Amino acid sequence: MLDDFVVRGVLAALGAVLATGVLGCFVVWRRMAYFGDAMAHAAVLGVALSLAFSLSIYVGVIITALCIALIFIQLTDAGQTADAALGVLAHTALALGLVIVSLLSGAKLSLSAYLFGSVLSVGITDLAVIWGGALVVLGVLWWQWSDLLTATLSPDLAYAAGIDPRRKELLLTVLLALVVAVAIKVVGALLITALLIIPASAARQFARTPEGMAVAAMIAGALAALLGTQGSLMFDTPTGPSIVVAAAGIFTVSIIAGRLRS
């Protein structure tokens, strides 16, 4: 079954959207969209460094994203505003990654696949990494759900309950870095943030509880993965962008349905 490249592509997309769906809820609740963009730009630098030093793409992206996140924390602690620090780091990482790739012969084509995604070219190893990373993210979120939710909704209440909001924010940062690495071959570095935000935003129209929103976001993401992959095969369009377009369509339908219901 896994010898079929289409089946592998669908499974890879499903694995990625299950993780991005739940984590995307925290991105929406915490208004971390710009931070997600910074992680995505860091992924470009991670890919470039991986190509330069012949490292695993997944390892290079995770390490680079974590380094960018730690530098961001240091800059904000030093008095820089969050949006300014993120802007500097995101665009510096993107520019540096593109410069490094320009110095590598034959690397431009490889980078293109990671910028826009290449889900239909995933192999068995890629599939194992994607699902392994997704299960780790889901497992940690399930384990830390109550603490993360408390720290997200009310930092003061979290402190009163003995929960350190800064540590939970750092945990979410690590999970974001892992998700970026997992999803980069599915939708590409330029569209990873969309996969985090759009399904969660669509789910927000119907969910009455945080848990309900997380489940709805996973369902919306899975539906977008299936519709996007099918549309890509039918119309011969790039699969990653097609998945994001399908997610945007689901979001549009959710907005219309929400207004009709109200």
Side-chain angles (χ1 to χ4, degrees):
M1 175 175 135
L2 294 182
D3 290 333
D4 189 334
F5 75 96
V6 176
V7 175
R8 289 199 302 270
V10 171
L11 290 176
L14 288 175
V17 298
L18 291 180
T20 57
V22 183
L23 189 58
C25 292
F26 285 98
V27 172
V28 170
W29 293 330
R30 286 176 168 262
R31 299 180 181 180
M32 295 174 64
Y34 201 11
F35 188 84
D37 277 334
M39 291 293 99
H41 290 159
V44 177
L45 177 57
V47 170
L49 292 174
S50 298
L51 294 174
F53 295 101
S54 300
L55 298 174
S56 166
I57 294 295
Y58 302 109
V59 173
V61 169
I62 290 175
I63 292 175
T64 306
L66 286 176
C67 288
I68 293 294
L70 292 175
I71 295 172
F72 166 72
I73 292 173
Q74 293 298 318
L75 288 175
T76 53
D77 287 344
Q80 289 289 335
T81 60
D83 57 345
L86 286 174
V88 170
L89 291 174
H91 295 99
T92 300
L94 177 60
L96 186 56
L98 295 176
V99 168
I100 292 174
V101 167
S102 70
L103 299 175
L104 302 175
S105 59
K108 293 182 180 179
L109 184 60
S110 299
L111 180 63
S112 176
Y114 293 103
L115 284 175
F116 304 104
S118 183
V119 67
L120 294 182
S121 67
V122 299
I124 301 296
T125 302
D126 295 318
L127 200 55
V129 170
I130 290 171
W131 271 94
L135 291 176
V136 168
V137 171
L138 291 174
V140 172
L141 288 174
W142 177 80
W143 173 44
Q144 293 285 308
W145 181 263
S146 179
D147 288 356
L148 286 171
L149 196 59
T150 303
T152 296
L153 299 179
S154 175
D156 292 335
L157 181 60
Y159 276 121
I163 301 169
D164 187 350
R166 292 283 287 176
R167 287 188 178 182
K168 301 310 172 185
E169 185 177 4
L170 182 59
L171 176 60
L172 286 175
T173 299
V174 172
L175 295 179
L176 266 174
L178 182 57
V179 161
V180 166
V182 164
I184 192 169
K185 205 162 186 180
V186 176
V187 294
L190 298 182
L191 296 174
I192 288 174
T193 309
L195 210 58
L196 285 164
I197 296 173
I198 297 178
S201 298
R204 200 174 196 175
Q205 303 297 320
F206 303 100
R208 296 183 178 180
T209 65
E211 293 78 10
M213 180 173 166
V215 172
M218 286 194 292
I219 294 173
L223 185 59
L226 294 173
L227 292 176
T229 305
Q230 180 64 31
S232 172
L233 294 173
M234 289 178 59
F235 301 108
D236 193 25
T237 55
T239 308
S242 298
I243 292 174
V244 174
V245 169
I250 294 171
F251 173 74
T252 303
V253 171
S254 73
I255 292 293
I256 295 173
R259 289 189 175 181
L260 289 177
R261 186 177 59 176
S262 62

